[in-house]
């Protein structure tokens, strides 16, 4: 484990039984996240990215591999032994409405974790609730209202406040803005970025939208059918993708300039992702890859370093050709 690594996940595998078969949702994934870093995990639905996040916070048990958090191996801790770590790792989800009890006022929603985990003395709970609301840009009066009295963006702010209540070190945001209007998405991403700096958090942002993850992350990992296919510094992955799948995701991202958008070439992938129940042989991407060769069908490419800190799993890394990307950053990471 490196010096300032907060989270060190190695060879993580997570399987689910579906009927008489096993689905490998996360297959041998290794990721280390440095303290203070914002790490992005990108992939289509079914790529295993959410299962990865849920397993890190131990909502799922890993089938193999190790999860080391702040120097402690938490992979196999019992629920009881895991309890002290749960406050250090918080997760927010796509649908804030589903995760906020509609029958509780916001004051009660925020006070509950403060009370359970004894974050502040009882006499200071009300003051702390107000400061949490302020931290996420909500007025103190919001405390007296119910979740259904707020917009989706405001509810996500309340979810973030609740996550902050227990003073976590690691915040995992799983599709934090995909249920929100486009006009609100940048505001919530900016808020995540802001609270990350102010509260000294380490953050993992999980999303299907590479353009969105690009806004706030230091490094990005791209997942396909349970495996990481590319991992590296955000600017390198976005402006110099080495893996054909990353290049395809980028080429599907609309660019703001309509002239560029009209004239640029897209990488069109064949078909839908195969089922994780029976992933293709060799390179799992070979059934859709525009530059696949015979070797790709038989031999799985290992994740290897293309340049320092930039890992790619492809026999023909970097050969997909340039992708025209024009992504302005609306949030300063
Ligand atoms: Fe495409 Fe082959 Fe690279 Fe897989 S290994 S991404 S099929 S070129």
């Amino acid at each position: 484990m490196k010096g300032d690594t907060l989270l060190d996940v190695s060879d993580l595998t997570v399987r689910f039984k579906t009927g008489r078969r096993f689905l490998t949702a996360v297959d041998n994934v290794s990721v280390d996240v440095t303290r203070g870093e914002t790490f992005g995990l990108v992939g289509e639905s079914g790529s295993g990215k959410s299962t990865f996040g849920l397993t890190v916070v131990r909502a799922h048990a890993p089938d193999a591999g190790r999860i080391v958090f702040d120097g402690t191996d938490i992979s196999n801790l019992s629920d009881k032994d895991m309890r002290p770590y749960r406050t250090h790792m918080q997760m927010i989800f796509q649908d804030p409405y589903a995760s906020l009890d509609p029958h509780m006022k916001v004051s009660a929603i925020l006070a509950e974790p403060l009370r359970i985990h004894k974050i502040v003395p009882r006499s200071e709970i009300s003051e702390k609730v107000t400061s949490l609301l302020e931290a996420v840009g909500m007025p103190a009066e919001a405390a007296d209202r119910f979740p259904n009295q707020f917009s989706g963006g405001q509810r996500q702010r309340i979810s973030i406040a609740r996550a902050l209540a227990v003073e976590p070190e690691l915040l995992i945001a799983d599709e934090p803005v995909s249920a929100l209007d486009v006009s609100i998405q940048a505001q919530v991403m900016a808020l995540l970025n802001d609270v990350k700096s102010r509260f000294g958090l380490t953050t993992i942002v999980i999303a299907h939208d590479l353009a969105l993850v690009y806004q706030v992350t230091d490094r990005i990992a791209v997942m396909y059918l349970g495996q990481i296919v590319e991992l590296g510094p955000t600017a390198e992955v976005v402006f110099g993708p080495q893996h054909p799948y990353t290049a395809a995701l980028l080429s599907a991202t609309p660019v703001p300039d309509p002239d560029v958008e009209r004239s640029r070439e897209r990488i069109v992938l064949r078909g839908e992702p195969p089922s994780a129940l029976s992933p293709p042989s060799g390179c799992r991407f070979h059934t859709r890859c525009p530059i696949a060769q015979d070797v790709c069908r038989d031999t799985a490419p290992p994740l290897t370093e293309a340049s320092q800190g930039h890992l790619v799993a492809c026999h023909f890394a970097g050969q997909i050709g340039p992708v025209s990307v024009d992504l302005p950053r609306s949030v300063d990471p």
Side-chain angles (χ1 to χ4, degrees):
M1 185 155 151
K2 292 187 206 107
D4 215 14
T5 302
L6 179 65
L7 176 70
D8 189 1
V9 177
S10 46
D11 306 320
L12 185 70
T13 296
V14 187
R15 294 191 194 94
F16 297 114
K17 197 151 194 272
T18 64
R20 300 165 82 184
R21 300 162 78 187
F22 278 97
L23 181 153
T24 304
V26 176
D27 191 359
N28 218 21
V29 165
S30 298
V31 160
D32 62 285
V33 183
T34 305
R35 220 176 280 276
E37 181 178 23
T38 301
F39 188 87
L41 203 51
V42 179
E44 289 163 295
S45 166
S47 61
K49 58 192 191 309
S50 295
T51 304
F52 176 89
L54 287 165
T55 310
V56 164
V57 300
R58 286 293 320 276
H60 295 313
D63 289 279
R66 283 190 352 139
I67 305 163
V68 177
F69 179 79
D70 205 9
T72 302
D73 186 346
I74 60 165
S75 327
N76 296 303
L77 290 186
S78 65
D79 272 355
K80 180 167 162 282
D81 291 339
M82 195 53 213
R83 212 168 288 152
Y85 294 95
R86 298 218 184 271
T87 55
H88 298 303
M89 297 184 278
Q90 289 290 298
M91 202 158 172
I92 58 168
F93 299 94
Q94 174 177 346
D95 183 356
Y97 196 53
S99 60
L100 297 174
D101 186 334
H103 306 296
M104 287 169 82
K105 281 186 177 175
V106 169
S107 54
I109 289 171
L110 298 182
E112 190 175 52
L114 295 172
R115 202 178 52 247
I116 291 173
H117 298 289
K118 299 186 172 56
I119 304 294
V120 290
R122 271 177 182 272
S123 57
E124 292 172 23
I125 284 181
S126 166
E127 197 182 323
K128 180 74 178 174
V129 165
T130 304
S131 82
L132 286 167
L133 286 169
E134 269 172 21
V136 297
M138 298 284 288
E141 304 79 66
D144 286 327
R145 293 158 68 187
F146 291 91
N148 66 0
Q149 294 176 276
F150 297 96
S151 68
Q154 290 170 322
R155 287 198 289 261
Q156 196 57 295
R157 285 174 188 269
I158 296 164
S159 297
I160 295 169
R162 187 179 54 181
L164 294 175
V166 295
E167 300 174 354
E169 286 176 80
L170 177 67
L171 180 67
I172 301 182
D174 187 1
E175 298 281 9
V177 299
S178 57
L180 305 179
D181 287 350
V182 174
S183 58
I184 307 295
Q185 291 185 348
Q187 290 174 20
V188 174
M189 291 308 281
L191 172 66
L192 277 174
N193 210 35
D194 175 58
V195 296
K196 180 218 149 184
S197 314
R198 274 198 286 153
F199 292 82
L201 302 174
T202 304
T203 322
I204 298 178
V205 178
I206 297 172
H208 66 281
D209 184 347
L210 191 43
L212 191 94
V213 172
Y214 159 76
Q215 298 289 331
V216 293
T217 53
D218 302 301
R219 287 188 302 150
I220 287 178
V222 179
M223 286 187 77
Y224 186 78
L225 278 185
Q227 298 177 329
I228 289 181
V229 295
E230 183 158 8
L231 187 161
T234 296
E236 276 189 39
V237 172
V238 169
F239 296 107
Q242 301 285 307
H243 195 282
Y245 179 59
T246 313
L249 287 181
L250 282 161
S251 93
T253 304
V255 300
D257 183 331
D259 292 335
V260 177
E261 178 65 17
R262 259 192 305 275
S263 61
R264 75 195 185 119
E265 281 184 30
R266 286 184 189 280
I267 301 165
V268 180
L269 297 181
R270 288 170 285 181
E272 296 294 313
S275 164
L277 271 172
S278 52
S281 60
C283 173
R284 291 185 176 181
F285 189 53
H286 85 252
T287 53
R288 303 172 78 199
C289 180
I291 61 166
Q293 312 264 335
D294 287 348
V295 63
C296 306
R297 267 195 297 276
D298 306 324
T299 311
L303 192 61
T304 48
E305 206 162 55
S307 57
Q308 199 184 357
H310 189 165
L311 307 171
V312 188
C314 174
H315 296 304
F316 304 99
Q319 294 188 24
I320 186 69
V323 182
S324 167
V325 191
D326 176 19
L327 293 176
R329 254 183 165 162
S330 55
V331 179
D332 266 342

